[in-house]
Amino acid sequence: MKLFISIPGIAGLWIILVVPFIGCQRNDVESVSQEDGKWHNDLVALKVRRLERPDRIVPSISMSLTSSGSKEQIKDASPNWRSERLSKLALDELTAIFKSGVKREGAFTENFRASPALPDHLEMTAETVSGISEWRPVPDPKWLNGDQFTDSVKGLIARFPLRTKLKLTSVRVVSEQLETEVIAVHVGKGVQATVKWAGVWDISQGDRLGLVELNMSEYVEVRSSSKLLYVDSTEEVMGNTPHFYPQVTTSIAQWAGAITGLSDMALTGHHGVAVGDVDGDGREDLFVCDGGGLPNRLYRQCPDGSVEDISRYSGVDWLEDSRAALLIDIDNDGDQDLVVATIAMVVFAENDGRARFTVRGGFAGAQYPFSLSSADYDLDGNLDVYICVYGEGDADSAGRGFASRIPVPFHDAQNGGSNVLLKNLGKFAFADVTDDVGLQSKNNRWSFAASWEDYDRDGDVDLYVANDFGRNCLYKNNGGEFNEIGEGARVEDTAAGMSVSWGDYNRDGRFDLYVGNMFSAAGRRVSIQDEFASGRDVSAVMGLRRMAVGNTLFEGAEGGFNEVPDAGGSVMSRWAWSSGFVDIDNDGWEDIVVANGYLTGWALKDDL
């Protein structure tokens, strides 16, 4: 029986087949049980088959809209509220001013006043050993008139010539006035400023706005006096591999137009990576998951820092849509084995120590897995595997994720997939112990990612799970048995959970949590208006508003955690996905790195 649907088309690639069995036969997957017979091996046997086909060539695909395309549809899809129409006019006006230093005739009212666009006096409020410093303005109640303000804007443009981006986060109509809040980001060479502006507009002339007041509520400038900490070396490191340009640098949008949907090519991506030393040479190597119809890749690091593609040699260039991977020592023999979450099965492969992998079995009880994490939860010396399952698939319709169901209710969904904890029984045998250890509690969320840490320092690792569309979960480990305590520990963080990282950012000896969610200027602006979800339950509206606020930093405290307000600016980390504590400049303090972004839509001036 063929397990995965893969369309041939790339030279010398593997597809994975499940081996048929009758009754309780396990087909070469060794059955390992505890003495009390409580657990048995839940992996099924798998075999691989190589397909010899010519390489795929991605065609040149025009992504432009036709005359019957969606530009007008997208335009008409925005709320037809007066406040939204006015907010767009206000944002266009401010963008024009801050990018050119020129105002249109009548843009300012006669009594217009504003804070200086570029503060006269700044003082350093923080500095790192790598030469990065933070500067904030010395309090100055000075107000400028229209001409003075535009002159100040020209000084701002001269200091930050590379890029200016404005996001409108709040709008409110009060009688004949419009109140707005804007976040502006200005970028120069070695310097960046994030500024918050509160504006008041005269709207007594209908849709013709006049700016009455523009008050700077916050200004934070970051300077770098040293050389760049990081440079993009992707092409230098990977450019000599045979498939770098057609596979790595070609967008998902292009491949999705070239590969049939039967291959499970997903537009949303979500393909993870794993890092580990696969051949024991002391250098870290890279395993890259890819979409259905495109092969996974294993890159071995060379002595000069470049990589070579050893996917075919290693036997891991599978065509199945793969979401996440782990390089971990499953059998305690000293080398890094491979676990890959494909769309239909979690596959386990053994490393022979020389980067050749043999598939040892697969777990089929986690439909639509999104991420993997590993820890020895029961302290038996074997690494166990936790699988986050997003939106469980529908076997009858072959649907998965949003194609199978939608989150209900949207801000507190409890109809997602069921995550799975696989206990490592040794000898590449794993048992589903989710029910046995208490992890079925609240196990119906749309889970994106999980992270293990002994946050309470009692000797065993605890588990935090970030869930999309609602509440997150914290499972306290009590000697191999788990209790869900997220609400009591004050870390449910009802939002669009995408990632989680443990650290100690303030070095007080307690573990802290950083949770990646989503910041949406449009979501914040729209959800606070009276027209939004009028007549709906207040708690539901508040929940929807929370989903657009951004990331969350929780500080370890007595009896749990406390949310850190604004978290030093790390809340507004855009449309965040993965995030993590890491000391990037080796100064002993943990910094935060956030991967953010989303699919580029047809409307290039989107306000996410």
Side-chain angles (χ1 to χ4, degrees):
M1 179 179 72
K2 185 175 180 181
L3 174 63
F4 302 105
I5 301 176
S6 297
I7 305 301
I10 301 183
L13 302 176
W14 297 99
I15 61 172
I16 305 175
L17 308 176
V18 73
V19 178
F21 63 88
I22 301 174
C24 296
Q25 183 182 356
R26 288 281 164 179
N27 296 284
D28 301 325
V29 177
E30 186 170 358
S31 180
V32 179
S33 302
Q34 277 204 332
E35 291 181 2
D36 60 5
K38 185 176 182 180
W39 293 305
H40 66 271
N41 185 19
D42 285 324
L43 302 193
V44 297
L46 300 174
K47 288 187 177 180
V48 295
R49 186 180 70 186
R50 179 166 289 281
L51 300 175
E52 298 294 344
R53 295 292 188 272
D55 283 347
R56 286 193 186 280
I57 302 297
V58 61
S60 176
I61 300 173
S62 173
M63 303 304 290
S64 61
L65 292 169
T66 64
S67 58
S68 59
S70 304
K71 278 189 175 178
E72 290 303 315
Q73 296 172 359
I74 293 172
K75 182 178 178 181
D76 294 339
S78 59
N80 189 25
W81 307 337
R82 185 185 182 212
S83 56
E84 276 297 283
R85 295 197 307 273
L86 295 174
S87 71
K88 185 180 185 307
L89 294 174
L91 182 62
D92 289 345
E93 191 76 73
L94 289 175
T95 299
I97 292 172
F98 279 107
K99 285 192 173 184
S100 67
V102 178
K103 61 178 176 62
R104 66 167 175 82
E105 188 67 28
F108 299 158
T109 60
E110 284 188 15
N111 58 342
F112 168 78
R113 65 176 192 170
S115 306
L118 189 64
D120 293 328
H121 303 289
L122 298 172
E123 60 180 3
M124 188 171 65
T125 52
E127 186 176 22
T128 71
V129 296
S130 58
I132 296 175
S133 56
E134 177 190 272
W135 298 74
R136 293 177 183 265
V138 177
D140 185 357
K142 180 170 62 176
W143 291 95
L144 306 181
N145 61 32
D147 291 336
Q148 292 170 329
F149 178 69
T150 52
D151 287 341
S152 181
V153 170
K154 291 174 183 176
L156 181 79
I157 295 171
R159 180 162 174 74
F160 303 98
L162 299 183
R163 183 168 65 90
T164 290
K165 175 70 175 179
L166 277 70
K167 291 181 177 291
L168 186 61
T169 59
S170 176
V171 59
R172 182 169 175 243
V173 175
V174 181
S175 185
E176 296 299 321
Q177 289 188 328
L178 178 74
E179 298 175 356
T180 59
E181 292 180 4
V182 171
I183 296 176
V185 177
H186 308 280
V187 181
K189 188 175 182 180
V191 61
Q192 175 175 310
T194 301
V195 191
K196 293 183 180 179
W197 292 96
V200 178
W201 307 73
D202 179 10
I203 55 174
S204 60
Q205 303 301 313
D207 285 355
R208 185 174 178 82
L209 278 63
L211 191 53
V212 178
E213 181 177 299
L214 198 57
N215 180 36
M216 180 188 290
S217 59
E218 183 176 317
Y219 181 98
V220 181
E221 185 172 301
V222 177
R223 304 175 186 173
S224 176
S225 61
S226 63
K227 63 181 180 180
L228 292 175
L229 289 175
Y230 294 91
V231 295
D232 184 354
S233 301
T234 310
E235 187 169 12
E236 180 183 354
V237 171
M238 306 179 69
N240 290 327
T241 58
H243 300 92
F244 174 69
Y245 293 100
Q247 184 171 349
V248 178
T249 65
T250 299
S251 71
I252 288 180
Q254 285 180 282
W255 276 118
I259 297 179
T260 171
L262 293 176
S263 292
D264 284 317
M265 169 63 70
L267 272 173
T268 50
H270 304 309
H271 306 123
V273 301
V275 176
D277 181 5
V278 297
D279 56 0
D281 64 357
R283 293 184 291 270
E284 299 280 28
D285 309 301
L286 179 67
F287 182 86
V288 181
C289 299
D290 214 326
L294 291 175
N296 296 330
R297 295 291 180 189
L298 178 58
Y299 299 99
R300 178 165 56 194
Q301 186 180 167
C302 303
D304 64 357
S306 64
V307 298
E308 60 176 328
D309 184 350
I310 61 169
S311 312
R312 179 186 175 98
Y313 164 86
S314 298
V316 296
D317 50 346
W318 308 326
L319 287 169
E320 280 66 40
D321 183 21
S322 303
R323 296 305 174 92
L326 294 172
L327 283 168
I328 55 175
D329 188 1
I330 293 174
D331 52 359
N332 293 323
D333 64 351
D335 56 32
Q336 302 290 291
D337 307 301
L338 179 65
V339 188
V340 181
T342 73
I343 200 62
M345 183 166 295
V346 178
V347 180
F348 294 80
E350 182 178 7
N351 188 351
D352 67 356
R354 300 184 299 277
R356 285 185 177 271
F357 291 86
T358 302
V359 173
R360 294 295 304 274
F363 180 74
Q367 293 184 52
Y368 205 37
F370 252 45
S371 67
L372 302 170
S373 58
S374 179
D376 181 9
Y377 84 93
D378 54 359
L379 304 179
D380 66 353
N382 295 322
L383 286 174
D384 311 297
V385 174
Y386 188 75
I387 309 166
C388 282
V389 179
Y390 192 62
E392 207 158 50
D394 185 339
D396 294 331
S397 68
R400 64 176 192 264
F402 297 142
S404 174
R405 67 187 76 171
I406 60 173
V408 177
F410 193 79
H411 68 288
D412 190 17
Q414 299 178 44
N415 64 333
S418 297
N419 302 336
V420 177
L421 177 62
L422 293 180
K423 175 179 170 58
N424 188 344
L425 304 178
K427 300 181 181 179
F428 277 86
F430 286 84
D432 180 353
V433 298
T434 314
D435 287 334
D436 301 320
V437 301
L439 286 176
Q440 275 297 1
S441 175
K442 301 182 181 179
N443 190 26
N444 56 357
R445 312 290 171 85
W446 294 71
S447 298
F448 243 110
S451 184
W452 298 87
E453 186 56 81
D454 182 14
Y455 85 92
D456 53 4
R457 302 185 186 278
D458 65 351
D460 50 29
V461 287
D462 311 292
L463 179 66
Y464 190 89
V465 181
N467 299 314
D468 204 356
F469 307 108
R471 306 169 195 271
N472 297 336
C473 297
L474 174 60
Y475 295 96
K476 177 177 169 55
N477 190 346
N478 299 293
E481 301 284 336
F482 293 89
N483 294 318
E484 203 288 314
I485 61 167
E487 182 178 8
R490 304 183 293 277
V491 289
E492 281 192 317
D493 195 36
T494 306
M498 300 291 171
S499 59
V500 56
S501 180
W502 294 93
D504 182 10
Y505 86 97
N506 54 3
R507 301 202 302 196
D508 66 352
R510 289 191 174 104
F511 279 107
D512 310 306
L513 272 170
Y514 186 71
V515 182
N517 298 308
M518 294 187 302
F519 172 87
S520 170
R524 290 176 59 144
R525 183 184 72 246
V526 171
S527 64
I528 64 174
Q529 297 181 51
D530 293 337
E531 294 90 342
F532 176 75
S534 58
R536 197 166 180 178
D537 179 72
V538 174
S539 62
V541 174
M542 295 300 292
L544 290 169
R545 288 177 182 172
R546 173 65 188 87
M547 294 188 71
V549 168
N551 298 354
T552 311
L553 176 62
F554 291 106
E555 181 179 281
E558 190 68 31
F561 299 81
N562 293 326
E563 184 174 345
V564 181
D566 191 37
S570 67
V571 169
M572 202 278 283
S573 294
R574 281 76 173 181
W575 198 281
W577 298 101
S578 180
S579 60
F581 284 109
V582 57
D583 183 4
I584 63 173
D585 53 4
N586 297 318
D587 66 350
W589 292 89
E590 289 179 309
D591 311 298
I592 294 175
V593 176
V594 181
N596 57 59
Y598 198 56
L599 297 174
T600 299
W602 300 120
L604 298 181
K605 294 179 64 176
D606 63 67
D607 193 31
L608 293 175

